Every structure is written in structure tokens, then in C-alpha cells.
Amino acid sequence: MKTDIQIAQEADLKPIEEIAEKLDLQRDDWEPYGRTKAKISDHLIEKLKHKKDGKIILVTSINPTPAGEGKSTVTVGLGQALNKIGKHTVIALREPSLGPVMGLKGGAAGGGYSQVLPMEDINLHFTGDIHAITTANNALAAMIDNHIHRGNALNIDPRKIEWKRVMDMNDRALREIVVGLGGPLQGIPREDGFNITVSSEIMAILCLATSLKDLKARLAKIVIGYTYDDEPVTVKDLEVEGALTLLLKEAFKPNLVQTIENTPAIIHGGPFANIAHGCNSIMATKTAAKLGDYVVTEAGFGADLGAEKFLNIKTRAGSFEPDAVVIVATIRALKMHGGLKKNQLTVEDLDALANGMENLEKHIETIEKFGLPYVIAINKFPTDTDREIEYVEKWCEERQIDVALADVWAKGGDGGILLAEKIVQKIDTDNKNFTYLYDLNMSLEEKIKTIAQQVYGAADIQLSAKAKKQLKAFTSRGWDQLPICMAKTQYSLSDNPNLLGRPKDFTITIRELSPSIGAGFIVVLTGEMLTMPGLPKKPAALNMDVTDDGKAVGLF
Amino acid sequence: MKTDIQIAQEADLKPIEEIAEKLDLQRDDWEPYGRTKAKISDHLIEKLKHKKDGKIILVTSINPTPAGEGKSTVTVGLGQALNKIGKHTVIALREPSLGPVMGLKGGAAGGGYSQVLPMEDINLHFTGDIHAITTANNALAAMIDNHIHRGNALNIDPRKIEWKRVMDMNDRALREIVVGLGGPLQGIPREDGFNITVSSEIMAILCLATSLKDLKARLAKIVIGYTYDDEPVTVKDLEVEGALTLLLKEAFKPNLVQTIENTPAIIHGGPFANIAHGCNSIMATKTAAKLGDYVVTEAGFGADLGAEKFLNIKTRAGSFEPDAVVIVATIRALKMHGGLKKNQLTVEDLDALANGMENLEKHIETIEKFGLPYVIAINKFPTDTDREIEYVEKWCEERQIDVALADVWAKGGDGGILLAEKIVQKIDTDNKNFTYLYDLNMSLEEKIKTIAQQVYGAADIQLSAKAKKQLKAFTSRGWDQLPICMAKTQYSLSDNPNLLGRPKDFTITIRELSPSIGAGFIVVLTGEMLTMPGLPKKPAALNMDVTDDGKAVGLF
């Protein structure tokens, strides 16, 4: 079987100007980055404001398992399939982080015959967006330490600096560090640490800003820490929002590439889906909606995290609504939710499958609560048996739920025609009745409880002493009007990663809150969140290489 | 008076494809990065190997002073002037580091009407080369700490790791840090520190490699530290040279831009000129020589550092020779070398000027030792008086030295016509007799002494106890066959930055040696070298901004 990179390198990529022409982009609307990548002007949405937006299809999934759900692959495959059935479609995806590429993953841009290309570039430096975010983040960090070193006019308490430096790398040795050592010329010694870039609030901001002006306003609002009197200190206080915006002005422009079947794809932004909202940028989604009659986009992890935040945070910030949802499941992952181990998945097991359906069932209920039409996509794996597939199809039919087998890894767009037809029909015939799950005027605690009960199926929430104290402080600062960004394990509907399927009668423990005032949400932590991954014993990097004529090896 | 950024933003930039066409580049030879930047294939030199190389003109200067010499401005202005007199010329320059741009400098891409454009991009992220170097450098650092954390099969002594992490930022708080804190899951606690990216050995390697294959071979040779038994540990031992090369494969391609007068300029690589060799990449210079009949290129700091290393290190690694040298001086800086303070320079002072000439005289002698023809360029400032300029011209004429006033900041190429004519005549009529200053077979100590005596005018060198021990160890490891990369203050010919003019009877103290085996030289430190700058009290970033329609503000 061919690897992703082999399939990618054999693909017939069109010059990016052909893709741009197909989208009716004028020369001023875009800039090339190499022969097969481009940036689209951040003014295009404004320029095309009188043009009707395309229909937005959100792809989400059941809770992820080590078996893999292939949400990105289905997103790409569905986009290709829609084009095959004559629907002019643009895909909107997140940018992969380089850290995990060098560590475990080796690459992340769809798979098989449903990939975005050039996959080597997308997986490495791409158009430099994440590097720009790293730079802006660390420029701010340097300005903070310099401010303190140079007299600390703002009275910043070095023990209460919340702003961490970042790196787009898996580097556990940087999780907890002490900086400023070496005497009076080297700054102020203090405890610090690095996060991975994609967890930076600046990444979340870039993805939620709707214009360069909005970007600057959001950057200004970032709370970097507190004074000795516990007053929040912002970027505006440090007067560097202009410089940070300048550093981000190119990164703010959405990137245009193509899929293996030359379907246009906009890949832009990639915030964490636990401590941030896990969706590609509003600029990407809205640009795609201006350029396509249909947009296929995705949100990170399962519907309990990515879709919930897409629908409660991203659509609010961007003032738009999706038109339909695809919920991706695989037979393998459903069987894991039904109790099987990873090494048992290649054998047919209808009982495990039946048990695992309850995980899908919960996510279906969640999407229904948002008032959105949906179709279930079974992402086909070679080990799926006909009886297993029939079981899921029948389960759906009994409940009058639309379902389609998608074989897009192996067949590209051709493998997603049925899914494409069903989703188009769904959009054409169903009356959507989109509603946010909570009102912004509710208290922070009520909002958290709503998500825990309505989306996770929890009985209740429990607040730590620290969280209670923070709720009070945040409310007194007026931060209670913001939406919630839950940081919870992606593996379970609960806050215990080992509880697969559909856990019942559980409590969600709220450990701590963290204000992302620039991004415009309150992060609610339900457990330890790793914001700087480590490398495995044999990092993927050990297999990477480049031939003398510049061809990438070892990305997959 | 207009600022650099105002002049830049009013310039009439040509689309980069027009510049590429003017250079006879075929579509496969280059890739656009935006509308006015491009990358040139690293295979072009090989493809054009039968084409005769253009004449290479090296621009160097007297010892820099706070008054400014404007070496980059003269380089750009001379390139423009050569094109004006009908000589098809390509400029080759270094890429600026973002750290100092955000800190003190606010920008570095020539000045006035002798700038390279788009100056905003060049000063910010450009085509991402420096970010790629940061990433490769830090991927290696993460692999080292991960290796130790995962069992340390190579027996690396954590106290003897020489490989530092880097950031393209002025951030003094990162100079001395402790990493790996937080318990057994967070790695091994150890002392560490960040350097600024441009001081990374990987930057030096990228600038000295002659092919992707050579790049990989050099990366493999990097010594990252030592085992408990004091054996060097290399990148090859860690098996990551392939991944590092992959991360650098796009950064390795030279960047094409244009000057304000649309002269083609290749801007690529920017290693420190103290702990590294301070020149743009060999790929840039050799590509420029394939594309132009004349190449104007520069080396960092004064002729004692940049030119010496250009001639002893870069030309050796690249197997090429320059054809002539321009030595840049300003009346202001000569007067500082003659004893004036910075605030006294606007008043005519022929005595100070006469005293300061000895600094220029020493650099002239150095270039003569290399057997190269040269012309002195007086880079004009508005405060220069006619009598001061006449004095320098007469001083040169008495010694039969070619000299030309260059008014390129204010007049662009028109201000450099005389300089251009003189340098062309020099190349056409003088028999150059280029010779390296030392033979590689000499001992490290003899090589250091040769540079100190022949280039700096020192009476002798003095080795610290540590340096003596290192000389012995390096020799026993076979590293004594490498050239020397002196790390010395740029402000003085001596190792004391306060000794301006032409100090006499001084000794150069060799404090320490550092092996850059991948770059292929031994760094010799004569004092404390700051490899991570700090920010000033009012960083340039505070004045930076971007308008709502994306126009940069505050770069100069």
C-alpha cells in the first residue's frame, strides 16, 4: 500500500494561479507563495460583502480513539465529492503544528486520496504563519521581562506573569524553567515555561479576529499577568499591540492550496482544541464561504469539544451559522468505545460495535440540541466487515438518521459521492433552527454547567476552591460576559480519559480557570492540560530526510 | 527629510517575475513568495556551471563607530550605479535579524535611495529562512534533551552540552536559564541558555554549504557536546541530520528581491560577524555571479572581521575569489577614530580627520596583503564639509589610492557612478594576486597569531590557560586543519572596544575556543561575546504599528 507521501508526490498539482482563477480571484486578491501555495487578501470578504455566502458544512466526530477517525480525511474527501457532483466547493482546514510532526505524527493533512497538497510544505513551515505567531508571542514575552528589568513602571508582579514563551516544538525540557539567571544584567530571575505555539492565545486570537483592526483590538486586550495589587496587566498597558499586529499581518491572510483532486482548500490557523477552540480561522471559513457555494470545514477532536466550541465561540465571533453537520465515525473506533482494545479491532465484533454506538448517539443528541441538520459518515477502513457496516447503517435507518459510507482514503472524491448527495439534500430540505447552547448573559458557572450537562451528559459540575475564587474575581472584572472554552480530555465525554462509550452519572471537576480576554473566552480546565508535548523514544524526525535534489522523505 | 520606510513605500517596485525575466531565469529556476520576493533554485549554479562567473566586488569598511558607515547602503548604491553605467550587476546581501529590528535598529536593508525592497518584509519574516533555522536549531536541542531523558544511550554528559536553543529575538532573560525542572516527567534539570538565531552554527552552515548534500554533511558534523568520557557527540550520532536538512531545504534557496531602482538583489543568510563569519551565503554570492556580469556583496563589520573571514573562510569553502574590494569610510566615523565624541561630529575638524585616517590606512594594508585591487568609497553625509572631503581625496591621491565620493543615500545609483567607474576600471586594469593569509596546515596558534599580527596589527597574542588546554584537545581531535573564525569587538582593531584609530603595541588575549565543526571553523573568543542581545528601555517595537489596510509603520 502506498504511503500518504508517495500518493502526494505522484499527484498532479495545478499551478496555484489556476486554482485562484477557478475561484475568480483577481491579481490583487492573492499572492503566490511558491508555485502551489498562495495567500488570499484579508480584504476579500469586505470586497465581496454583497455576494451571497456559500453553505457551511461542519465536520465533527465521535470521541477520538487511538484507532483514528479520519475527520480531516473525510473533510477533504467530502469537498472533493461535492465538486464531483457539480457543487462548487471550497474546503477550510487547520494548519498542522510542526512539533507533533517531528514527534509522533509525521504529518497531518488528510490521508490517502483525500489529502491537501503540497503535504510536505503544509507539514513543515508552510507559509510561515505559525512562526509569525511564535515570534509575536515571544516578542511580547521579551517586552514583559524587559519592562520589569527597566524599572517596572507598571508594577508587574514577576510571580504573577501568566504569559508564557512558546515554541513550535515538542520539548518537555522547556515545560518548567527558571529564566533571568546570571546577575543584574540578565533580567529578573523567575519561574517560567514554554508552551507549544499552537496553544498560544495569539493563535486563538488570529483565528477569531475578523479584520486586521479586530486583530489589533484583541491583541491589546490580552492579560499578561497581574500587578502586585492583583490588577490585570494588558498588552495595551505595554503599548505593543501595534508591533504584534505588524508581526502578524501576513500570517493573518488565509492560505490557499488544493487537494489531490485540485479542489481549492483554505488552510489557516490551528489552535489547540482543549485550551483553545480548535477550529481554523474565521477568515478562512468566511473567505471560503465567499468563494464557494459550499464550504466543508472541521473542528478539532469530537463534537463535545470542537463542534461545541465551533458553535458557541467561533460562530458568535464571526457572526455566521453553519448549514449542516457531518458526524464522522469509524467501525474501529466505535468498537473501542464498545470495549475492545486497540489490538482487537481487525476482527468482526458486532456486540462491541453495538455497545459503542452510544458514543455516537450522544454526539447526535448534541448536534440536535444546536438545531442543525446532520448526516453520519462512516469512514471506511479495510478491516471493516460488511455486516459491521450494515449494522451501523441499520441502526441509523431505524432512527431515521441519514448515514453514508465514505471510502475517501482509498477512492478520493469518488468514495464520498453518497455522503455529498445526502448532505446536499439535507441542506436543501431540512429547516435548520440554529441556536447557541447558552446565553452570554448567564453566569460563568451556569454556562459551564450547561455544557457539562447538555454536551457531556454529566450529572453535575464540581468547582475546586481555586476555581470558585477565580469565578468571583473574573465576574468582578466583567469577564463573566464571555463564552466558555472547555479544556477537557478529548478521549471521553467525561473528564476521565478512560471512560469510553457514553459514561453516565459523572461529575465534571472544574480545577481552574484561565482568562483569554484577547481571544474572548474563559478557559475552563477540568484536569491537567499538557500545553507542551514531549518527544517519544523514537521521534518521527529520525526517519525524516531529504534527497540531494530536495525531495522530502519520512513524512506520512 | 523622508524616512527610509517612506521612501520605500513610494518606490515603484516591479513584479518579481520581471526581475526574474531580466535575469533569464526559467520558470523552474525560481518560485514567487508574494509579488515582489522569490526563491531561486539551489540547482541553478549547477545548471549554469558552464557559464562564466561575473566579477565579484566585496564591500568592506573601516572599524564601525556609532556614527555609522553605511556599508549596506554603499553596496546597494554601487550595484545600482553599475547598472546605470551599463554593467549588468546583481547585489548579494545578508538577511537582517528580527531581534535587533524590534529592539534598537528598527530595520536594516540599506537606506534612503539605496535600499532593497520590500523593506518591511525583508525586516520582518521575509521568506522564513531565519525561522527555519530557529526551528532546526531547536529541533536538535529537543532531540538532545529527549535522548538523555529516554535513557541516554550515547552517554552524553548533561553538564557538557554546548548546543544552545535559539530565538530570533532580543531577550536577555533567556541568556542563562535552568531547564528540565518539575520532576521525572519533565526531563533532566540542567543549566542552559538561548542565543539569538543568527548566532546559531546552523546559520553559519547554511551560509557556507555549497549544495543540499553538503548542507547535510555539515549538519551531521556539528558537535553538540561531550560524553562523560569527553568524547565529542555529533548530530550524526543522534541521527537527525536528515530531519534538520529537511527543515532547511527551502531556507537553503537564495532569495531574490530588487533595489529601489529595480536592480536585482539576492538576500540570503545572515550569520553574526563575531562568533561566525558575517557574510551572506555562498549560494547567494555564487548564484549572483551566475546571473550578473558584476556582483556587489558585503561582509559584516570592518575589514578586520568581515573581510578577513570572507577571504579566509568563505572563499575557501566556496572555491571562488573576489575581483576587487571597496573600503567604505565616512568623514564622521574617521573623525571619531581621530578622537571626537559622537556629539562633536557635525563641526568641521580637519585635525581629527587627519588623526582618524590611520584606521583606514590599516584596513588598506590588510586588503593589499590579500593581493586584491581596491577603491576607497567616502559615503557622503550631509554634515561633511568640502574641505573634509578634499582632505580624504588628497590623502588617497598622495598614496596613489583610488577614491570616490559616494552620495548614494540621497541620490541612489546616480550618486555612485564615479565609484562604479573606478571599480570597473580597477578590475579591468589591475592584476589581482589573491592569496589566503594563512595556510590551513599551520597550527591553530600560528593561524591566530597571523590574523592578530597581519590584520589587527597586534604585537603578539596571549592564550588563557583554558585556551591552551583547548588548543591541545582540538589538535588531538584533528580539528587543527580548520580555518579560524575570530570573535573580537568590531569597534577596535584591538580586543579593547575603546581603542579607536590604529592602536599599536597591543596584545590580543585569547580567552577561549569553540568548535564549529559543521560550519568548518574554530571560533576564537577574545573577550565576552554577547550571543543574546537585550532590549533597550524604549524598544523600537513601541513605535511599530500597522494600518487597518495593512501598511507597516515604524520601521526605518
Side-chain angles (χ1 to χ4, degrees):
Chain A
M1 205 165 69
K2 284 180 186 169
T3 63
D4 284 355
I5 195 168
Q6 283 171 329
I7 294 169
Q9 287 176 343
E10 287 168 17
D12 182 25
L13 260 75
K14 290 202 161 59
I16 199 67
E17 54 261 40
E18 281 187 37
I19 306 295
E21 273 163 30
K22 201 157 83 176
L23 294 172
D24 282 333
L25 289 172
Q26 308 302 306
R27 189 175 161 99
D28 284 351
D29 297 334
W30 68 283
E31 286 179 300
Y33 269 64
R35 296 290 178 193
T36 52
K37 308 181 289 291
K39 279 206 167 272
I40 301 177
S41 164
D42 48 317
H43 298 288
L44 187 75
I45 297 167
E46 175 66 19
K47 182 178 158 185
L48 300 181
K49 65 181 170 190
H50 299 299
K51 192 176 171 223
K52 196 163 162 269
D53 284 336
K55 301 290 182 186
I56 295 173
I57 300 158
L58 171 65
V59 177
T60 184
S61 76
I62 59 172
N63 287 97
T65 71
E69 288 62 46
K71 201 169 43 197
S72 302
T73 305
V74 171
T75 303
V76 175
L78 173 57
Q80 294 181 149
L82 283 162
N83 272 316
K84 289 222 168 197
I85 63 166
K87 304 296 179 188
H88 180 47
T89 302
V90 178
I91 294 162
L93 289 172
R94 286 169 294 163
E95 302 183 47
S97 165
L98 185 60
V101 168
M102 302 304 285
L104 268 177
K105 292 170 77 174
Y113 290 90
S114 292
Q115 293 187 55
V116 278
L117 302 176
M119 76 90 92
E120 301 92 319
D121 296 14
I122 294 167
N123 278 309
L124 296 172
H125 310 289
F126 199 23
T127 58
D129 296 345
I130 297 180
H131 291 321
I133 292 166
T134 303
T135 304
N137 185 102
N138 293 343
L140 175 54
M143 298 290 163
I144 296 167
D145 274 301
N146 189 57
H147 179 89
I148 298 172
H149 177 72
R150 298 282 185 181
N152 200 9
L154 290 172
N155 199 32
I156 300 168
D157 186 340
R159 302 161 307 173
K160 296 181 201 144
I161 295 173
E162 301 285 339
W163 194 254
K164 294 271 207 285
R165 290 172 173 84
V166 298
M167 197 182 273
D168 189 16
M169 195 59 64
N170 288 14
D171 193 348
R172 75 172 63 73
L174 294 179
R175 283 178 193 154
E176 293 187 30
I177 67 176
V178 173
V179 300
L181 299 172
L185 293 178
Q186 325 282 47
I188 310 291
R190 63 181 187 88
E191 290 180 49
D192 198 6
F194 276 70
N195 291 332
I196 191 162
T197 301
V198 287
S199 76
S200 168
E201 186 178 348
I202 293 185
M203 172 60 95
I205 289 174
L206 184 112
C207 289
L208 290 170
T210 54
S211 68
L212 209 51
K213 191 179 168 181
D214 183 36
L215 179 70
K216 199 195 292 179
R218 286 172 179 269
L219 290 166
K221 281 191 236 169
I222 291 173
V223 173
I224 61 98
Y226 301 87
T227 66
Y228 284 99
D229 309 317
D230 276 327
E231 292 300 319
V233 179
T234 66
V235 165
K236 192 177 168 58
D237 296 328
L238 287 160
E239 301 173 47
V240 290
E241 67 271 24
L244 301 189
T245 312
L246 180 61
L247 287 168
L248 294 168
K249 79 181 174 71
E250 299 305 311
F252 186 60
K253 299 174 182 168
N255 307 295
L256 177 66
V257 292
Q258 63 194 289
T259 74
I260 208 160
E261 294 179 6
N262 314 117
T263 293
I266 298 179
I267 303 195
H268 193 226
F272 257 31
N274 46 34
I275 66 147
H277 64 291
C279 308
N280 62 64
S281 73
I282 286 177
M283 293 299 293
T285 305
K286 295 187 85 160
T287 300
K290 284 297 176 201
L291 297 176
D293 297 328
Y294 289 82
V295 175
V296 189
T297 189
E298 61 159 348
F301 297 151
D304 53 330
L305 284 168
E308 183 271 308
K309 297 180 195 181
F310 183 98
L311 298 170
N312 281 320
I313 298 174
K314 180 176 170 179
T315 60
R316 265 195 177 100
S319 309
F320 71 94
E321 300 187 356
D323 295 277
V325 176
V326 171
I327 308 174
V328 178
T330 60
I331 302 290
R332 294 160 56 92
L334 287 168
K335 288 194 288 189
M336 276 199 88
H337 279 294
L340 295 192
K341 302 277 172 237
K342 202 186 165 185
N343 58 7
Q344 302 171 319
L345 300 175
T346 52
V347 180
E348 181 178 274
D349 191 330
L350 291 168
D351 290 342
L353 183 60
N355 284 337
M357 292 306 291
E358 61 177 13
N359 185 269
L360 174 59
E361 183 183 43
K362 177 68 195 88
H363 293 297
I364 289 172
E365 289 173 21
T366 299
I367 298 303
E368 285 177 348
K369 283 179 188 162
F370 282 101
L372 289 168
Y374 59 90
V375 175
I376 310 301
I378 308 169
N379 182 24
K380 193 173 185 315
F381 271 70
T383 51
D384 300 347
T385 70
D386 289 347
R387 293 206 300 171
E388 287 173 326
I389 292 166
E390 275 161 30
Y391 179 86
V392 177
E393 288 173 340
K394 191 150 172 269
W395 185 95
C396 290
E397 277 155 28
E398 282 169 5
R399 290 159 181 78
Q400 289 169 305
I401 291 169
D402 277 307
V403 62
L405 186 68
D407 193 8
V408 293
W409 194 100
K411 296 181 184 163
D414 281 338
I417 301 267
L418 181 64
L419 176 63
E421 286 170 346
K422 290 207 174 180
I423 200 85
V424 168
Q425 194 194 18
K426 205 82 193 164
I427 292 170
D428 289 347
T429 57
D430 260 41
N431 288 326
K432 74 166 172 168
N433 185 21
F434 177 65
T435 177
Y436 301 123
L437 210 62
Y438 54 78
D439 195 279
L440 289 182
N441 287 320
M442 287 161 65
S443 73
L444 290 173
E445 189 173 347
E446 283 175 303
K447 288 180 222 175
I448 298 166
K449 202 166 169 177
T450 302
I451 296 168
Q453 292 179 333
Q454 303 286 316
V455 178
Y456 309 158
D460 205 352
I461 60 168
Q462 187 171 20
L463 298 161
S464 72
K466 181 172 185 179
K468 279 183 193 165
K469 209 176 134 191
Q470 287 180 307
L471 274 182
K472 224 169 137 177
F474 287 18
T475 303
S476 76
R477 291 181 186 127
W479 297 345
D480 56 334
Q481 298 295 308
L482 295 173
I484 299 295
C485 181
M486 294 297 290
K488 180 183 73 68
T489 175
Q490 67 266 37
Y491 298 114
S492 171
L493 282 158
S494 76
D495 54 4
N496 175 354
N498 299 316
L499 296 181
L500 301 195
R502 182 176 185 171
K504 298 242 160 61
D505 299 321
F506 61 91
T507 300
I508 295 281
T509 305
I510 308 303
R511 190 168 61 85
E512 192 180 345
L513 279 66
S514 172
S516 288
I517 307 304
F521 51 66
I522 302 296
V523 180
V524 174
L525 294 122
T526 62
E528 291 290 341
M529 284 298 133
L530 200 61
T531 47
M532 174 52 97
L535 289 169
K537 187 162 175 96
K538 294 272 176 205
L542 299 188
N543 300 317
M544 291 180 190
D545 202 353
V546 54
T547 61
D548 293 346
D549 59 347
K551 211 165 147 184
V553 177
L555 297 166
F556 48 86
Chain B
M1 205 164 70
K2 285 180 186 168
T3 63
D4 284 354
I5 194 169
Q6 283 171 328
I7 294 170
Q9 287 176 346
E10 288 169 17
D12 183 24
L13 260 77
K14 289 201 160 63
I16 198 66
E17 54 263 39
E18 281 186 36
I19 306 294
E21 273 163 30
K22 202 157 82 175
L23 295 172
D24 282 333
L25 289 173
Q26 308 303 305
R27 190 177 160 98
D28 284 352
D29 297 334
W30 68 284
E31 286 180 300
Y33 268 65
R35 296 291 179 193
T36 51
K37 307 182 290 291
K39 278 205 168 273
I40 301 177
S41 163
D42 48 315
H43 297 288
L44 187 75
I45 297 167
E46 175 66 18
K47 182 178 157 183
L48 300 181
K49 66 180 170 189
H50 298 299
K51 192 176 170 225
K52 195 163 163 271
D53 285 336
K55 301 288 183 187
I56 295 173
I57 300 158
L58 171 65
V59 178
T60 185
S61 77
I62 60 173
N63 287 97
T65 72
E69 287 63 45
K71 200 169 42 193
S72 301
T73 305
V74 171
T75 303
V76 175
L78 173 58
Q80 295 182 149
L82 283 162
N83 271 315
K84 289 222 168 197
I85 63 168
K87 304 296 179 188
H88 181 47
T89 302
V90 178
I91 294 162
L93 289 172
R94 286 169 295 165
E95 302 182 48
S97 165
L98 185 60
V101 169
M102 303 303 286
L104 269 176
K105 291 171 78 174
Y113 291 89
S114 291
Q115 293 187 55
V116 278
L117 302 177
M119 77 89 94
E120 303 93 320
D121 297 14
I122 294 167
N123 278 308
L124 295 172
H125 310 289
F126 200 24
T127 57
D129 296 345
I130 297 181
H131 291 321
I133 292 167
T134 303
T135 304
N137 184 102
N138 293 343
L140 175 53
M143 299 289 163
I144 295 167
D145 274 303
N146 190 58
H147 178 89
I148 297 172
H149 177 71
R150 298 284 185 181
N152 199 8
L154 290 172
N155 199 33
I156 299 168
D157 186 342
R159 302 162 306 174
K160 295 182 202 146
I161 296 173
E162 301 285 339
W163 193 254
K164 294 271 205 287
R165 289 169 173 85
V166 298
M167 197 183 273
D168 189 17
M169 194 60 63
N170 288 15
D171 194 347
R172 74 172 66 70
L174 293 179
R175 282 177 193 153
E176 294 188 28
I177 67 176
V178 173
V179 300
L181 300 172
L185 293 179
Q186 325 283 47
I188 309 292
R190 63 181 186 89
E191 290 181 48
D192 198 7
F194 276 70
N195 292 331
I196 192 163
T197 302
V198 287
S199 76
S200 167
E201 185 179 348
I202 292 184
M203 173 59 95
I205 288 174
L206 184 112
C207 290
L208 290 170
T210 54
S211 68
L212 209 53
K213 190 178 168 180
D214 182 37
L215 180 70
K216 196 194 295 180
R218 286 171 179 270
L219 290 166
K221 281 191 237 170
I222 292 173
V223 173
I224 60 97
Y226 301 87
T227 66
Y228 284 99
D229 309 316
D230 277 327
E231 291 300 319
V233 180
T234 65
V235 165
K236 192 177 167 58
D237 296 330
L238 288 159
E239 300 172 49
V240 290
E241 67 271 25
L244 301 189
T245 312
L246 180 61
L247 287 168
L248 294 168
K249 79 182 173 71
E250 298 304 313
F252 186 60
K253 299 174 183 168
N255 307 294
L256 177 66
V257 292
Q258 63 193 289
T259 75
I260 207 159
E261 295 180 4
N262 313 118
T263 293
I266 297 179
I267 304 195
H268 193 225
F272 259 30
N274 45 35
I275 66 146
H277 63 291
C279 309
N280 63 64
S281 73
I282 285 176
M283 292 298 293
T285 305
K286 295 188 85 160
T287 300
K290 284 297 176 200
L291 296 176
D293 296 328
Y294 289 82
V295 176
V296 188
T297 188
E298 61 159 350
F301 297 150
D304 53 330
L305 284 168
E308 184 271 309
K309 297 179 194 182
F310 183 97
L311 298 170
N312 281 320
I313 298 175
K314 182 176 170 178
T315 59
R316 266 195 177 100
S319 309
F320 71 95
E321 299 186 359
D323 295 277
V325 177
V326 171
I327 307 174
V328 179
T330 60
I331 302 291
R332 292 161 57 91
L334 288 169
K335 288 195 290 189
M336 276 199 85
H337 279 294
L340 294 193
K341 302 276 171 236
K342 201 186 166 185
N343 59 6
Q344 302 172 320
L345 300 176
T346 52
V347 181
E348 182 179 273
D349 192 331
L350 291 168
D351 290 342
L353 183 60
N355 285 336
M357 292 306 290
E358 61 178 13
N359 186 269
L360 174 60
E361 182 184 44
K362 176 69 196 89
H363 293 298
I364 290 171
E365 289 173 21
T366 299
I367 298 304
E368 285 177 347
K369 283 180 188 163
F370 282 102
L372 289 168
Y374 59 91
V375 175
I376 309 301
I378 309 170
N379 182 23
K380 193 174 186 313
F381 271 69
T383 51
D384 300 348
T385 70
D386 289 346
R387 292 207 298 174
E388 287 175 328
I389 291 167
E390 274 161 32
Y391 179 86
V392 177
E393 288 174 340
K394 189 150 170 270
W395 185 95
C396 289
E397 278 155 28
E398 283 169 6
R399 290 160 181 78
Q400 289 171 304
I401 291 169
D402 277 307
V403 62
L405 185 68
D407 193 8
V408 293
W409 194 100
K411 297 182 183 162
D414 281 338
I417 301 269
L418 181 63
L419 176 62
E421 286 169 347
K422 289 208 176 180
I423 199 84
V424 168
Q425 193 193 17
K426 206 80 194 164
I427 292 171
D428 289 347
T429 56
D430 262 42
N431 289 326
K432 73 165 173 169
N433 184 20
F434 177 65
T435 175
Y436 300 124
L437 211 63
Y438 55 78
D439 194 280
L440 290 182
N441 287 322
M442 288 160 66
S443 73
L444 290 173
E445 190 173 348
E446 282 174 304
K447 288 180 222 176
I448 299 167
K449 202 167 172 177
T450 301
I451 296 169
Q453 292 179 333
Q454 302 287 315
V455 178
Y456 308 158
D460 205 352
I461 61 169
Q462 186 171 19
L463 298 162
S464 73
K466 181 172 185 180
K468 279 182 194 163
K469 207 175 136 191
Q470 287 181 306
L471 275 182
K472 223 169 137 180
F474 286 18
T475 303
S476 76
R477 290 183 187 126
W479 297 345
D480 56 333
Q481 297 296 307
L482 295 173
I484 299 295
C485 181
M486 294 297 290
K488 180 184 72 70
T489 175
Q490 66 265 39
Y491 298 113
S492 171
L493 281 159
S494 76
D495 54 4
N496 175 355
N498 299 316
L499 296 182
L500 302 194
R502 182 176 185 171
K504 298 240 160 62
D505 299 322
F506 60 91
T507 299
I508 295 280
T509 306
I510 308 304
R511 190 170 60 84
E512 192 180 343
L513 280 66
S514 172
S516 287
I517 307 303
F521 52 65
I522 302 297
V523 179
V524 174
L525 294 123
T526 63
E528 290 292 339
M529 284 299 134
L530 199 61
T531 47
M532 173 52 96
L535 289 168
K537 188 162 173 96
K538 295 272 177 205
L542 299 189
N543 300 317
M544 291 180 190
D545 202 354
V546 53
T547 62
D548 293 346
D549 60 346
K551 210 165 147 183
V553 177
L555 296 167
F556 48 87

